Amino acid sequence: MRTLLITGPGGAGRTTVAAATALAAARQGTRTLVLSADPADTLGAALGTPTGPRPTAAAPGLTAWRPDPATAFRADLTALQDRATTALDLLGAARLDPEELTPLPGAAELALLRALRDAALAADAHDLLVVDLPPAPHAVALLGLPEELRRYLRRLLPPERRAARALRPLLGRLAGVPMPAEWLYEKAARWDVELAATEAVLADRDTVVRLVAEPSPAGLDAVRVTTLGLALRGLRTDVLVANRVFPEPTADTRLAGVVAQQRKAVDEWRESYDVRSVHHLGRDPRGADDLADLAVPTAPTAHSGPPAEWHVADRLADDGVLVWHIPLPGAVREDLDLVRRGDELVVTAGPFRRIVPLPSALRRCTVSGAGLRDGELRIRFTPDPGLWPTGR
């Protein structure tokens, strides 16, 4: 199944474009599922069909789904309370009733990631998954969440400590209280599997991100920053939708300045992106007819391009170094920062940060330099004589 993730600056019309893309794909005979986490049901307003926690048939071949974060949040917290009953009783803590639980901030986005994973696991039901993501850069942080949470789990509950579960009876007698390690590790292992499944969907070669933005000075800045954040996460983009573009020429002289500004922004985008323009309808699109009039670009075909790669170039024979190539389009040298921490590299690019495990060959090296050239960060690693094989 192909997955198309759609995001862009707030107010740029990304939900409308997502709805129009999903509808166009369904009309071409592609079994399509469109997801959104917007509590205001902007997706349903665009489609002309209310959406909710149950998948709804929005048109022939098109299913719309807006997951309910409250249901998943209550189920998870209730299950956690059930497993921790003994510890809660020892502490004298009162249990929370499911009906009094309200989702915490971010629960809607987590529900969206879970729905994305579940839809991908049921790949036989649909050919295309279109996901209306939150506005960027919030969407960038959301897409990086599975990787970050898995890293936290591995640091807090490393798998090798599971051997200590055999000592639970002894530790319980020494401490005088039951030890909850068994269920805690079981829960962590289940979370790790679920997060890994979500990561696999995002890393799949049939998953791409589509950007939607209005051509304007603010749109130029937003697209550059979003592209940088996606690149740092290793996520691949396909096209940039320049939305709400006014037709040229316009008889309304009051719009002449806006039209010229839009043309300039689109021309600048075309130097770096595959740009597709969607014209302004003169009204907010509502219903299938309006969505069809938008003439949005089609959904990507299967295996639409190579995956984003951070490859290591072997230059030991010539320069005595290995070079890690990290594509970071839109990066500015002054906003880049690198910190080596054990077998990990902390990369900061603008407002984004990612902690990346080093490839195995680079773990036996020291960082000897880095440079940014043509939108690519190149980090030089020199082999550590004490760790590198003597034959090289």
Side-chain angles (χ1 to χ4, degrees):
M1 183 177 67
R2 292 164 287 151
T3 301
L4 178 61
L5 310 172
I6 297 181
T7 188
R14 70 189 186 284
T15 301
T16 301
V17 171
T21 303
L23 181 63
R27 288 182 169 178
Q28 293 172 357
T30 303
R31 297 175 304 164
T32 305
L33 171 64
V34 57
L35 291 177
S36 176
D38 187 354
D41 197 15
T42 309
L43 176 65
L47 290 170
T49 301
T51 65
R54 295 177 180 271
T56 303
L62 176 60
T63 302
W65 184 17
R66 192 163 49 89
D68 178 19
T71 301
F73 180 78
R74 291 188 183 114
D76 285 346
L77 195 53
T78 300
L80 181 61
Q81 286 189 140
D82 291 342
R83 300 303 300 271
T85 297
T86 303
L88 292 174
D89 291 342
L90 287 170
L91 295 173
R95 291 171 58 87
L96 295 171
D97 189 275
E99 296 305 318
E100 67 178 300
L101 298 176
T102 56
L104 296 174
E109 289 76 9
L110 288 174
L112 182 66
L113 284 179
R114 177 175 290 178
L116 185 156
R117 179 206 65 207
D118 292 345
L121 292 177
D124 292 341
H126 302 93
D127 304 312
L128 173 66
L129 173 61
V130 179
V131 184
D132 171 31
L133 290 174
H138 187 188
V140 177
L142 175 65
L143 296 175
L145 189 59
E147 178 183 87
E148 294 296 330
L149 289 179
R150 290 192 74 199
R151 189 174 62 83
Y152 296 156
L153 281 175
R154 289 193 295 268
R155 292 291 295 273
L156 295 173
L157 297 171
E160 57 269 19
R161 288 189 185 174
R162 296 178 188 176
R165 288 191 291 181
L167 302 177
R168 287 177 65 249
L170 174 61
L171 294 174
R173 288 194 296 270
L174 292 175
V177 297
M179 305 299 290
E182 186 73 29
W183 68 263
L184 181 62
Y185 277 103
E186 289 177 357
K187 187 73 171 178
R190 184 172 68 82
W191 282 344
D192 188 67
V193 170
E194 292 181 355
L195 291 168
T198 306
E199 265 195 289
V201 176
L202 299 178
D204 190 270
R205 63 179 301 184
D206 281 334
T207 297
V208 294
V209 183
R210 180 166 293 181
L211 300 179
V212 179
E214 289 192 53
S216 65
L220 288 170
D221 292 338
V223 167
R224 181 189 66 81
V225 173
T226 304
T227 301
L228 175 60
L230 293 172
L232 184 60
R233 285 289 166 191
L235 296 167
R236 186 165 54 91
T237 59
D238 69 338
V239 301
L240 167 59
V241 177
N243 197 27
R244 299 175 183 148
V245 176
F246 290 103
E248 298 184 62
T250 176
D252 190 343
T253 56
R254 293 172 300 178
L255 293 177
V258 176
V259 170
Q261 185 181 75
Q262 287 189 337
R263 186 193 312 119
K264 180 180 179 181
V266 170
D267 289 342
E268 185 170 336
W269 274 337
R270 285 200 171 108
E271 296 177 2
S272 305
Y273 303 93
D274 181 3
V275 181
R276 312 293 176 85
S277 295
V278 173
H279 293 299
H280 201 303
L281 293 183
R283 61 186 183 279
D284 288 335
R286 288 292 183 270
D289 292 340
D290 281 355
L291 294 180
D293 289 341
L294 288 177
V296 296
T298 59
T301 58
H303 306 309
S304 57
E309 293 185 355
W310 294 10
H311 70 277
V312 177
D314 185 348
R315 289 171 46 182
L316 292 175
D318 299 327
D319 302 329
V321 297
L322 298 170
V323 182
W324 200 9
H325 294 258
I326 302 178
L328 292 177
V332 179
R333 190 185 308 273
E334 291 74 20
D335 294 337
L336 284 176
D337 187 47
L338 298 173
V339 176
R340 170 79 180 267
R341 190 177 64 186
D343 290 339
E344 297 176 325
L345 190 69
V346 183
V347 185
T348 301
F352 306 103
R353 190 183 76 148
R354 185 183 181 191
I355 301 176
V356 192
L358 291 172
S360 57
L362 302 184
R363 295 174 189 174
R364 297 172 289 159
C365 303
T366 58
V367 178
S368 56
L372 181 67
R373 181 185 304 170
D374 298 328
E376 183 180 72
L377 176 62
R378 302 173 186 180
I379 310 174
R380 296 164 60 89
F381 289 82
T382 302
D384 185 335
L387 300 175
W388 202 257
T390 57
R392 291 292 296 214

